[in-house]
Amino acid sequence: MNLGFIPGLMSELPEFDSYLSLWKTLTLIKVFSDLRKQTKQRVLSQDGDEYNNTNAAKVTVEKYCQHQDREYKEYQKKLTELQE
């Protein structure tokens, strides 16, 4: 008996749906990873200035976010101390 031809059988198996979803997610991650690598190589081959400027902007934004998070945590800490 071939179970693959019974309509709806595969969708009734929860394991199959979760594995299929995981496979789709991993495939998308792989595709985007490959695209990022190709884009990085292309930008670096075109003198690399644009990549370096973009990387510097990324670092700046990350530092700003870390600073904001730190200030927010300090504010929350002071607020809880005042409420006690």
Side-chain angles (χ1 to χ4, degrees):
M1 179 176 191
N2 189 348
L3 298 177
F5 289 103
I6 300 174
L9 177 67
M10 297 307 275
S11 63
E12 292 174 12
L13 299 174
E15 300 87 22
F16 181 76
D17 286 339
S18 62
Y19 288 131
L20 184 60
S21 177
L22 176 64
W23 180 80
K24 286 179 182 178
T25 302
L26 292 175
T27 303
L28 282 175
I29 290 171
K30 175 76 172 126
V31 167
F32 281 110
S33 176
D34 290 345
L35 285 173
R36 284 189 191 109
K37 287 177 186 176
Q38 291 173 5
T39 302
K40 181 179 177 181
Q41 289 173 352
R42 187 179 71 240
V43 169
L44 285 173
S45 70
Q46 298 172 353
D47 193 24
D49 288 338
E50 184 179 352
Y51 177 77
N52 293 332
N53 293 339
T54 304
N55 200 26
K58 177 186 170 207
V59 170
T60 303
V61 169
E62 287 174 348
K63 287 182 180 179
Y64 175 78
C65 290
Q66 289 172 355
H67 176 73
Q68 291 297 102
D69 288 342
R70 202 172 334 132
E71 283 190 357
Y72 179 73
K73 287 177 183 176
E74 289 175 9
Y75 168 77
Q76 288 292 352
K77 184 179 176 182
K78 288 179 183 177
L79 190 61
T80 54
E81 289 174 357
L82 289 175
Q83 291 177 351
E84 292 176 349

